[in-house]
Amino acid sequence: LIEDSHIFSPEQSFRDFVDRLIQPEKLVFEVPERLVHVLRDYQVQGFKWMKQLAQFGFGGVLADDMGLGKTLQSIAFILSELENIRAQREPVLIVCPSSVTYNWLQELMKFAPELVAVVVDGKATERKALLADLRGVDVVITSYPLVRRDVLIYEKLHFHTVIFDEAQAFKNAMTQTARSVKKIRAGNRFGLTGTPVENNQQELWAIFHVVF
């Protein structure tokens, strides 16, 4: 629309900015060495897109279909930010359905064994103890139901990045889940959803509302 506008004439720096956003395949971000021969071309493009959004402080929704490797692209992003994660002493938080919390842990152990990851679950006292001392932890994994229960703890923490897996779980902006995850503070916010077309407008709006 920029080219056709009679009232908005962007300078070259803005044109370059837009060009980088809509053509992530041209971006120059190094894929973590461990994953160079693992990621497929489209996954490299998704990784670069996440890096670009993080560079500008934007949120994003990675809406690849199921089975196309959203988890792997997210792990590549986390690995690429590991130096910053440890320097800032702020881990990445992954919030997902209860059924896949340990799937995330397994994928991290498989593709990025150098990451120190913990699953926050169990009794309330155990979860509180885990969250009270995250020194040396790179990735925290928990579920939507437990974020709802522990929201008073999470809202006091700050994370390098938060990744909402199966983000369609928000349902709409008024659910307890959506209201709880909005209170999580993080430098970068990404939503992952494998069913973007199937979601209705309320669900899509809720995802964007949380991520942005």
Side-chain angles (χ1 to χ4, degrees), residues 75-113:
I75 291 173
F77 173 80
I78 295 170
L79 263 182
S80 74
E81 292 287 329
L82 185 55
E83 184 177 341
N84 293 329
I85 290 167
R86 291 179 174 174
Q88 297 169 13
R89 298 181 180 178
E90 293 183 345
V92 171
L93 174 64
I94 296 167
V95 189
C96 57
S98 305
S99 59
V100 297
T101 51
Y102 284 92
N103 289 23
W104 267 96
L105 183 61
Q106 290 172 356
E107 293 292 285
L108 286 164
M109 292 170 63
K110 177 181 178 180
F111 293 109

Side-chain angles (χ1 to χ4, degrees), residues 98 120-124 127-128 131 142-155 176-177 180-181:
S98 305
V120 177
D121 64 0
K123 297 179 181 178
R127 301 196 305 271
K128 185 176 181 180
L131 293 170
T142 194
S143 66
Y144 290 111
L146 292 181
V147 165
R148 293 197 302 266
R149 294 181 194 176
D150 300 334
V151 65
L152 293 179
I153 299 176
Y154 281 101
E155 67 183 9
Q176 188 178 356
T177 296
S180 297
V181 296

Side-chain angles (χ1 to χ4, degrees), residues 119-135:
V119 174
V120 177
D121 64 0
K123 297 179 181 178
T125 52
E126 296 170 341
R127 301 196 305 271
K128 185 176 181 180
L130 281 170
L131 293 170
D133 186 5
L134 295 175
R135 288 175 296 180

Side-chain angles (χ1 to χ4, degrees), residues 6-44:
H6 299 296
I7 58 173
F8 179 63
S9 180
E11 61 183 14
Q12 188 59 43
S13 63
F14 186 81
R15 290 179 182 274
D16 293 342
F17 165 71
V18 172
D19 185 60
R20 290 198 299 273
L21 280 183
I22 63 177
Q23 299 188 72
E25 66 276 6
K26 295 184 178 180
L27 302 176
V28 181
F29 291 111
E30 294 295 325
V31 175
E33 185 176 355
R34 177 182 292 279
L35 299 178
V36 167
H37 300 296
V38 176
L39 295 182
R40 297 180 179 180
D41 290 345
Y42 73 88
Q43 293 171 332
V44 171

